[in-house]
Amino acid sequence: MGTDNSDNKKRKNHYRPHNKSAKKGSYPLRPGVQGFFITCDGGRERQASQEAVQVIDSFLEELVEGKEPDVKHAAKPMNKKIKFSYSDSEDDDDDDENENGEKELVAVVSDHDNSESQPKDKKEDDKNEDERQPEKKQKCIEIDLSNREQVLKSKSVDQLIEAELDELKDKTKRRFNYLDSGCNGVVFVQMNKRDEKDPTPKEIAQRIITSAATTKRHMSRFILRVLPIELTCYASEEEISRAIKPLIVQYFPMDPQTPYKFAVLCEARANSGLDRMKIINVVAKSVPEPHKVDLTNPDRTIVVQIAKTVCCIGVVEKYKELAKYNLRQLTSSKQ
């Protein structure tokens, strides 16, 4: 009996990838969420989702707090070359002579190093200052220790760690969550709004794409398109026509000052039972007049992305002008 059980275990492990135990995946994409529908290189979904959270979070801080996005590259410090000449009669084969017969020494000094240009009095003051440094350091350490003691008294380290772990475990408190779309090359990043004043996925995606178009700065390695999604529902004609009504009222009002030209983009993955043209007609009919369809130069594009049985809908502007919201094309040198 023991040999039979061991043989069964070996057979089960044989069919697992790399003989490893199966791991639980992330939560699947479901109706009722909003966030970002992101396409990426196939097989790089995890890396793309991590990059997407970093990029989205940096632009979210820019919109909320007025900070610049943390996607800049640090500039390299430049070095200066300084020549020193002297007329001593030392024999050194490594030094070069100038036209006057004087030898020259070459030194490389960084832009941030100005110690050679300081006068002697300044250097002496620095020495005296260094002698007084231990007293200052001791005072700073005492002040720092007193502040730490006050913090530890108010809240212990164990309580801080427990609170942080509880926040990480509770996915409802996270601003961004990964949702498994079930499709190759597709990542969905759910956004949980903590405040009504927080920017919408459309505003964040618009800022990311316009920044990429103007700066041509590479932001990621694996992300292709970043599409804002403001509602999700089941992929059926009845559900889509019902769920899209609030979004149509928001972006296509009945009595506008200037009517909009719009287009409908519909893409389906891992779902061959739906007719794309029927979905496009349902969405287009939900937009009231005087708004008109214009496929060549639309003001706003209604994006419909279907992944298996879930339909993701969002509204974007300048879809064709901004390379269909493709970060890689916007930041490539050919653009």
Side-chain angles (χ1 to χ4, degrees):
M1 294 296 290
T3 57
D4 294 338
N5 293 331
S6 61
D7 293 338
N8 292 332
K9 289 182 180 179
K10 289 181 180 179
R11 290 175 183 175
K12 290 180 180 178
N13 291 331
H14 176 71
Y15 291 104
R16 289 174 182 171
H18 305 290
N19 294 331
K20 294 182 180 179
S21 60
K23 295 182 180 179
K24 295 182 179 179
S26 58
Y27 290 113
L29 178 61
R30 62 187 184 275
V33 298
Q34 64 174 201
F36 303 88
F37 190 93
I38 297 170
T39 61
C40 62
D41 296 330
R44 298 290 186 176
E45 290 81 9
R46 187 64 180 176
Q47 295 91 330
S49 60
Q50 293 174 354
E51 287 182 349
V53 169
Q54 294 177 359
V55 174
I56 294 168
D57 192 32
S58 63
F59 280 91
L60 176 65
E61 291 183 359
E62 178 191 5
L63 291 171
V64 174
E65 302 178 7
K67 295 181 180 180
E68 294 185 358
D70 190 15
V71 291
K72 293 184 177 180
H73 300 284
K76 296 182 179 179
M78 302 297 292
N79 294 330
K80 293 181 180 179
K81 183 181 288 187
I82 301 175
K83 291 185 178 181
F84 301 95
S85 62
Y86 61 93
S87 59
D88 294 341
S89 60
E90 295 179 356
D91 295 333
D92 194 351
D93 297 335
D94 295 334
D95 298 337
D96 298 332
E97 293 186 0
N98 58 10
E99 295 178 357
N100 297 327
E102 297 179 350
K103 295 181 179 180
E104 296 180 348
L105 292 176
V106 178
V108 178
V109 181
S110 176
D111 287 343
H112 303 288
D113 188 7
N114 297 326
S115 59
E116 295 294 332
S117 61
Q118 294 180 353
K120 294 182 179 180
D121 295 337
K122 180 66 175 177
K123 292 182 179 180
E124 292 177 358
D125 294 339
D126 293 339
K127 290 181 180 179
N128 296 330
E129 184 69 20
D130 292 335
E131 294 176 357
R132 294 192 296 269
Q133 282 297 325
E135 298 179 359
K136 290 186 176 181
K137 289 181 179 179
Q138 185 176 3
K139 292 181 180 179
C140 293
I141 292 172
E142 292 176 356
I143 295 172
D144 191 11
L145 290 175
S146 62
N147 292 333
R148 288 182 180 179
E149 290 176 358
Q150 293 177 359
V151 172
L152 291 175
K153 288 180 181 179
S154 61
K155 202 168 188 179
S156 64
V157 177
D158 295 336
Q159 292 176 351
L160 292 172
I161 294 174
E162 289 179 0
E164 187 174 357
L165 289 175
D166 292 339
E167 184 176 354
L168 291 175
K169 290 179 182 178
D170 190 0
K171 290 191 174 183
T172 59
K173 294 182 180 180
R174 298 182 188 177
R175 190 181 290 273
F176 302 106
N177 294 326
Y178 312 133
L179 298 182
D180 185 11
S181 65
C183 301
N184 186 29
V186 175
V187 171
F188 192 92
V189 178
Q190 179 187 1
M191 179 179 174
N192 300 316
K193 295 184 69 174
R194 297 178 180 177
D195 191 358
E196 294 181 356
K197 297 181 180 179
D198 288 348
T200 62
K202 177 180 179 297
E203 295 173 346
I204 299 174
Q206 189 78 24
R207 181 63 66 91
I208 293 172
I209 297 302
T210 54
S211 176
T214 54
T215 61
K216 303 294 182 182
R217 187 185 300 117
H218 294 280
M219 300 180 187
S220 67
R221 293 176 58 191
F222 307 110
I223 297 175
L224 296 178
R225 287 195 295 169
V226 180
L227 300 174
I229 300 301
E230 300 189 61
L231 65 91
T232 55
C233 64
Y234 287 107
S236 66
E237 298 178 26
E238 295 78 10
E239 287 291 329
I240 293 173
S241 62
R242 181 187 59 81
I244 202 173
K245 289 180 181 179
L247 200 64
I248 296 300
V249 172
Q250 179 181 356
Y251 291 104
F252 300 96
M254 293 289 294
D255 298 324
Q257 295 180 355
T258 56
Y260 295 106
K261 296 177 292 183
F262 72 94
V264 180
L265 169 70
C266 182
E267 295 177 345
R269 295 174 176 85
N271 191 329
S272 59
L274 286 177
D275 189 352
R276 289 179 57 255
M277 288 307 302
K278 289 184 179 179
I279 300 298
I280 292 174
N281 292 331
V282 168
V283 175
K285 289 179 180 179
S286 63
V287 180
E289 296 180 349
H291 308 289
K292 296 182 179 180
V293 176
D294 189 350
L295 301 180
T296 58
N297 189 22
D299 299 323
R300 293 177 175 177
T301 301
I302 304 174
V303 176
V304 180
Q305 296 288 338
I306 299 173
K308 286 191 172 181
T309 60
V310 180
C311 179
C312 307
I313 304 175
V315 178
V316 297
E317 298 178 0
K318 298 181 180 179
Y319 182 72
K320 291 185 177 181
E321 292 86 345
L322 294 174
K324 298 181 179 180
Y325 279 49
N326 193 311
L327 281 179
R328 185 172 296 178
Q329 291 184 6
L330 290 172
T331 56
S332 64
S333 58
K334 295 181 180 180
Q335 287 287 330

